[in-house]
Amino acid sequence: MDLIYLDNAATSFPRPDCVADAVSDWVRNGSAAGRGTHAGASAANELLRSCRNEIAALVGADSAAHVVLTSGCTESLNIVIQGLLQPGDHVIASRLDHNSVLRPLQHLLHTRNITFELLDFSPVNGLLDIRQLQQLLERTPTRLVVLNHGSNVLGTVQPIAEMARLAQQAGALTLVDAAQTAGHEDLSFAAAEFDFMALAGHKGIPGPLGTGALCIRPDREQLLQPLILGGTGTESESLHQPRQSPAKFESGNRNIPGIAGLLAAAAWVREQTPAVLRKRLQQHSAELYRGLRAISAVRLLTPDTPENFCGAVSFQLEGLDCHDAAIILEQEFQIQCRAGLHCAPLLHPAAGLLQQSGSLRFSPGPLTTSAEIRRAVSAVSELSENFT
Ligand SMILES: Cc1ncc(COP(=O)(O)O)c(C=O)c1O
């Protein structure tokens, strides 16, 4: 029986062939890192430029120079959180957030004397409490609001443009965590006037692991201090870090083989169109949701809002720990999925679901088939009959 991979919320697999071809082509033929004047360096520079253009087009950003190429969404989030916040600053994030938001905030709470508060969400529809956001913004002058666009556990999408408007009216900056939505949801970066948007290049955009991007509103780049300083191949006569994006935030050689794959993946997404990929993902997650709901031992964390699904469907099985279930699913049914807290440690307690060590998560990707979804549901049904 073929393997079924349902862990696309961690990283996408399988990837379109054009991604492997682009990486392999660069490893075979690419000679340089984008510094210098020879043909290899020019080709690498052209690749970087094309990738920034492609990402800017995908997210609706006006300035490709303000697309910083990173190692993933974690680095992108850290560039903003650690590069922006000063002692005394206040931040609003949420209980849906990933540790790549929560840990930098917790770190700065201790080392830089910032403060932060967390928005609650409704377990019924998975949505963050917008009234609470308004109240918190009215109560405390806030420097930054972190907006979780798609939850990597619940799989629900937040109305980030509406939330950003409230933040903007209160004079706060916005940082969108689009790790789970880039590649299939509408991001409208410039139109919604977001200040910063962190993207993964290896999930909804099915590029190689170790790729991502940060989009910066051009007039906000001077607010950020770079996290890493060093060689950029530009302004080399100066001992000072360049002040302009992207060099300001891209010290050291970029992961050019990965970026070649990211460029191919982003171009593939634009060719397929995010709207088509979104529809496919929604259909898969809705079918998963409905199939799992019919199994009596299943307790779904993902709320019953299929029109708002962005991929992940999480659940618990009564009488079976999620880690044991994941092992059986792989060994007996050739299904790879994720078990645990999914790096979002505040979500399960907030949903009142910590009697187990987390949940099982099935996350289809752009190349998952309906037959695989059906096989996954029947595997859980069999599992619940024989092991719970
Ligand atoms: C919501 C969310 N934010 C951030 C990240 C971190 O992304 P990356 O793996 O690209 O560093 C993830 C990864 O799963 C995520 O789901």
Side-chain angles (χ1 to χ4, degrees):
M1 218 192 297
D2 290 340
L3 173 82
I4 298 180
Y5 178 83
L6 288 176
D7 198 12
N8 286 270
T11 198
S12 59
F13 183 82
R15 302 176 189 91
D17 287 342
C18 61
V19 175
D21 292 346
V23 176
S24 146
D25 182 53
W26 194 89
V27 172
R28 278 177 206 288
N29 303 313
S31 61
R35 324 282 206 227
T37 51
H38 58 80
S42 305
N45 265 323
E46 180 54 26
L47 180 70
L48 290 167
R49 200 185 61 78
S50 301
C51 191
R52 287 185 222 290
N53 283 337
E54 199 65 52
I55 300 281
L58 193 60
V59 308
D62 292 336
S63 166
H66 292 83
V67 174
V68 177
L69 297 171
T70 65
S71 62
C73 199
T74 302
E75 183 186 340
S76 306
L77 291 163
N78 270 271
I79 291 175
V80 178
I81 294 172
Q82 298 208 55
L84 172 77
L85 297 173
Q86 299 296 327
D89 280 346
H90 185 69
V91 180
I92 298 175
S94 87
R95 293 185 195 284
L96 294 177
D97 279 319
H98 192 270
N99 269 336
S100 52
V101 170
L102 297 172
R103 286 182 174 166
L105 289 178
Q106 185 69 16
H107 174 71
L108 296 184
L109 175 88
H110 293 294
T111 58
R112 228 179 268 176
N113 202 23
I114 69 148
T115 52
F116 67 91
E117 288 174 293
L118 299 170
L119 291 175
D120 299 316
F121 63 92
S122 153
V124 177
N125 60 18
L127 294 180
L128 291 167
D129 188 338
I130 294 192
R131 276 193 39 209
Q132 186 192 16
L133 172 62
Q134 177 117 46
Q135 284 162 359
L136 295 185
L137 285 166
E138 279 166 11
R139 203 178 60 199
T140 313
T142 300
R143 181 65 167 150
L144 180 70
V145 178
V146 184
L147 297 168
N148 176 290
H149 193 196
S151 161
N152 64 321
V153 183
L154 303 180
T156 42
V157 180
Q158 306 296 326
I160 50 170
E162 185 186 342
M163 297 173 80
R165 267 194 301 279
L166 292 179
Q168 286 151 2
Q169 281 160 13
L173 298 165
T174 51
L175 163 59
V176 178
D177 177 352
Q180 293 296 333
T181 50
H184 41 85
E185 297 297 320
D186 178 27
L187 296 174
S188 300
F189 179 73
E193 299 185 352
F194 298 122
D195 298 293
F196 311 105
M197 181 176 281
L199 317 169
H202 60 101
K203 301 181 196 273
I205 306 172
L209 198 55
T211 59
L214 171 67
C215 301
I216 301 173
R217 190 174 133 164
D219 58 348
R220 303 299 193 219
E221 77 176 323
Q222 295 311 331
L223 299 176
L224 299 181
Q225 289 301 317
L227 281 190
I228 298 182
L229 294 86
T232 57
T234 56
E235 302 176 37
S236 299
E237 69 290 352
S238 169
L239 294 185
H240 296 285
Q241 186 73 6
R243 288 176 51 77
Q244 312 295 328
S245 177
K248 178 176 178 182
F249 306 105
E250 289 187 354
S251 292
N253 285 316
R254 295 296 87 189
N255 166 17
I256 300 220
I259 290 168
L262 173 59
L263 168 60
W268 179 86
V269 165
R270 285 222 299 143
E271 201 181 290
Q272 302 281 314
T273 75
V276 166
L277 296 174
R278 174 175 194 264
K279 196 161 169 219
R280 193 181 304 159
L281 211 50
Q282 257 185 344
Q283 277 167 353
H284 285 336
S285 30
E287 195 178 341
L288 263 178
Y289 182 89
R290 283 194 299 269
L292 293 171
R293 190 178 51 186
I295 301 169
S296 60
V298 165
R299 289 185 60 189
L300 280 148
L301 271 80
T302 293
D304 188 6
T305 52
E307 69 291 347
N308 203 23
F309 285 170
C310 69
V313 176
S314 296
F315 59 100
Q316 294 179 331
L317 276 169
E318 271 165 34
L320 189 61
D321 185 77
C322 60
H323 292 92
D324 296 336
I327 292 169
I328 301 170
L329 281 169
E330 175 155 32
Q331 289 179 351
E332 303 290 324
F333 300 95
Q334 287 71 53
I335 293 173
Q336 288 182 339
C337 65
R338 181 80 175 265
L341 297 177
H342 316 296
C343 296
L346 305 180
L347 192 150
H348 287 78
L353 285 165
L354 207 56
Q355 83 280 20
Q356 287 196 22
S357 54
S359 56
L360 277 173
R361 180 182 71 187
F362 282 179
S363 52
L367 297 180
T368 305
T369 65
S370 297
E372 289 178 318
I373 298 290
R374 286 194 292 277
R375 236 181 78 197
V377 171
S378 78
V380 176
S381 173
E382 226 181 290
L383 177 70
S384 75
E385 278 162 27
N386 297 332
F387 294 92
T388 59

